[in-house]
Amino acid sequence: MSESQKVLQLPVWRTVKAAYLVIFHNPGLALKLALIPLTLTLLSSMATAWLFAGSNVEQLAQDPGWMIFGAGSTIIVYGSMIPTITAWHRLVLLGHDRPDARIGYSIRASEWLYLWKGFVFILIMFLISIPTIVLIALIGGVVGALGTAAEGNVSAPVFVVVITGVALVANVFLYGFVLRFNLVFPSAAIGKPMGFGESWRRTRGNTWRLFVIAFVTVFPFMVFPMLISAALFGFQQIPSIENQVLSSLIHTPFWILGLCVGISFWSWAYRYLVQEMPILLPDE
């Protein structure tokens, strides 16, 4: 995108509405595409409970066996989600009528490209997060030193407020990068890869819009199941197999809705900002 090109303004509430309406018009397809990841998630939860039920979460965090098992199961589950995600991207961007849309669970070149983009994305985020973490640590040290020098005049609540504020600003900064880089994923799903720099240019002038849309389409599905599970089982110990299965069943509708709505959001953003096509609602 050249500097002379106009900056497109992503319509916030129309994008939100379109993202939600896609799954409400395709619930059966959403369940079909999510069946394999859901099954693997349930099996992973049952295996976790079988191996570690009743164990303290904080103590497990230092157990090498737990870390290896957790990393391995996470890679398997999240890897199994890629064909689901790419198919949903193609549903929004290509529709049911394109023979090459592949609105089904399959693994081909676009899925491997998506995986590669994800790996590079994680690496970029890791590199960006390093100076942010260092900055928070430095400010925390300075505030603590000032409190000591002032013989305790800087109280603990003030310290907490300062660190919380700095961490919040730092996370907003990081999420800004996350949101503006994500157009590389729908492009990979339809076999038209773009670079991270191109995604950054295409989303220029839309950072706050992307924040608002992401908050409305993604945040609720992350928070609600966590609150429900915490209220029922808590977070201090690994639940029993029965409770793990129950927790997975509670998470399932939120998981499917959140995945499909979030992927729809990125697909519509790509359609509008890159393909420069309108965001169409099902009743139009």
Side-chain angles (χ1 to χ4, degrees), residues 128-149:
I128 292 174
S129 67
I130 292 176
T132 306
I133 295 171
V134 171
L135 176 63
I136 294 174
L138 287 175
I139 293 178
V142 170
V143 173
L146 290 174
T148 303

Side-chain angles (χ1 to χ4, degrees), residues 53 80 94 119 126 136 142 249 262:
S80 72
L94 303 178
F119 175 78
F126 174 74
I136 294 174
V142 170
L249 293 176

Side-chain angles (χ1 to χ4, degrees), residues 81-263:
M81 291 168 57
I82 292 178
T84 304
I85 294 171
T86 53
W88 202 261
H89 276 307
R90 290 189 291 269
L91 170 67
V92 175
L93 294 173
L94 303 178
H96 288 282
D97 301 329
R98 289 275 294 272
D100 58 344
R102 285 195 298 121
I103 313 301
Y105 193 94
S106 61
I107 302 175
R108 296 186 188 175
S110 55
E111 281 67 46
W112 291 111
L113 177 60
Y114 205 96
L115 179 62
W116 169 247
K117 290 289 185 180
F119 175 78
V120 176
F121 177 78
I122 292 172
L123 179 60
I124 292 173
M125 289 300 101
F126 174 74
L127 294 175
I128 292 174
S129 67
I130 292 176
T132 306
I133 295 171
V134 171
L135 176 63
I136 294 174
L138 287 175
I139 293 178
V142 170
V143 173
L146 290 174
T148 303
E151 298 181 354
N153 290 335
V154 178
S155 62
V158 173
F159 178 82
V160 171
V161 168
V162 171
I163 293 301
T164 301
V166 172
L168 180 61
V169 172
N171 278 288
V172 168
F173 171 79
L174 286 176
Y175 284 127
F177 276 91
V178 170
L179 295 169
R180 293 192 59 183
F181 283 149
N182 267 271
L183 293 184
V184 302
F185 295 112
S187 68
I190 61 174
K192 297 182 178 180
M194 67 161 54
F196 288 93
E198 178 69 8
S199 177
W200 182 268
R201 289 189 292 274
R202 291 282 185 176
T203 53
R204 186 179 60 179
N206 286 279
T207 302
W208 75 265
R209 291 178 173 81
L210 295 171
F211 262 110
V212 172
I213 300 171
F215 183 83
V216 178
T217 58
V218 177
F219 186 75
F221 302 108
M222 295 173 60
V223 173
F224 290 153
M226 290 178 59
L227 294 177
I228 294 172
S229 293
L232 292 176
F233 313 118
F235 284 132
Q236 296 304 311
Q237 291 186 333
I238 303 297
S240 63
I241 292 180
E242 295 80 3
N243 285 343
Q244 281 281 19
V245 172
L246 179 59
S247 178
S248 296
L249 293 176
I250 291 172
H251 278 71
T252 294
F254 292 100
W255 187 89
I256 295 176
L257 283 169
L259 179 67
C260 294
V261 172
I263 298 306

Side-chain angles (χ1 to χ4, degrees), residues 30-53:
L31 184 59
K32 176 183 176 182
L33 291 175
L35 186 59
I36 291 177
L38 280 175
T39 301
L40 291 175
T41 300
L42 181 60
L43 292 175
S44 174
S45 298
M46 293 174 64
T48 300
W50 181 59
L51 293 171
F52 304 103

